[in-house]
Amino acid sequence: MTVTLRPARSTDAGATGEILHRFSRENDWMPDLHSCAETIAFCGRMIDQSWVTVAEVSDTVVGFLALNGSDVHSLYLTPAARGQGIGKRLLDHAKAQHSRLTLFAFQANTGACRFYERNGFAEVARSDGADNDENLPDIKYVWRSEGAENG
């Protein structure tokens, strides 16, 4: 399987939005806050801000990472793409651009938490979810490259 990473184009909003919306629908702990059309529009805004890198297999978008500066805003894959090393490739792409990355993961998303911890992220804080739209408890993670200053 050949995976290609590339900057997202405006025409990728539909595919990325569907990936994100599907994730919220397949997890019963996620509140259903947005329609698929709203989620596609949200992904379009992230793409317009040049935050998004997509992963393609056979010219089909199978995942994406949205990076706002050094903050990993979103990292989502289709169910079929999970467990194939594609998420790690997207994360390594972000790591290559920064010596420090931060992100939040929902505490209920245990698979994501394990993934980030396996990939060198350390938990630095937990919250009750009052500061996120979903009102779900979350965990703040930080990754620092070897040799990066602490802090």
Side-chain angles (χ1 to χ4, degrees), residues 78-99:
T78 63
R82 295 176 196 153
Q84 308 294 315
I86 297 169
K88 182 179 183 342
R89 290 250 336 252
L90 285 163
L91 204 51
D92 287 347
H93 180 74
K95 287 177 175 181
Q97 300 172 48
H98 298 278
S99 61

Side-chain angles (χ1 to χ4, degrees), residues 62-142:
V62 297
F64 72 96
L65 181 138
L67 189 64
N68 178 9
S70 62
D71 297 324
V72 177
H73 187 278
S74 303
L75 174 54
Y76 293 94
L77 303 172
T78 63
R82 295 176 196 153
Q84 308 294 315
I86 297 169
K88 182 179 183 342
R89 290 250 336 252
L90 285 163
L91 204 51
D92 287 347
H93 180 74
K95 287 177 175 181
Q97 300 172 48
H98 298 278
S99 61
R100 181 179 187 270
L101 296 172
T102 61
L103 62 86
F104 287 89
F106 296 119
Q107 291 178 29
N109 194 352
T110 56
C113 294
R114 284 191 307 271
F115 169 77
Y116 291 123
E117 290 165 7
R118 273 195 320 268
N119 283 281
F121 283 77
E123 178 181 330
V124 296
R126 287 183 178 239
S127 86
D128 62 4
D131 291 332
N132 63 56
D133 292 341
E134 295 82 3
N135 290 312
L136 292 173
D138 59 17
I139 302 171
K140 182 176 183 178
Y141 286 99
V142 173

Side-chain angles (χ1 to χ4, degrees), residues 3-80:
V3 178
T4 303
L5 303 185
R6 63 165 174 78
R9 300 183 285 261
S10 60
T11 53
D12 295 319
T16 56
E18 287 178 14
I19 291 168
L20 178 54
H21 188 69
R22 180 176 183 167
F23 173 83
S24 67
R25 302 293 299 220
E26 68 188 15
N27 290 287
D28 57 5
W29 49 264
M30 278 289 288
D32 190 14
L33 298 178
H34 306 285
S35 69
C36 189
E38 290 169 326
T39 306
I40 289 169
F42 172 71
C43 287
R45 288 191 297 278
M46 290 193 297
I47 291 169
D48 288 346
Q49 294 176 59
S50 300
W51 291 7
V52 181
T53 299
V54 297
E56 284 185 327
V57 174
S58 301
D59 295 323
T60 300
V61 174
V62 297
F64 72 96
L65 181 138
L67 189 64
N68 178 9
S70 62
D71 297 324
V72 177
H73 187 278
S74 303
L75 174 54
Y76 293 94
L77 303 172
T78 63

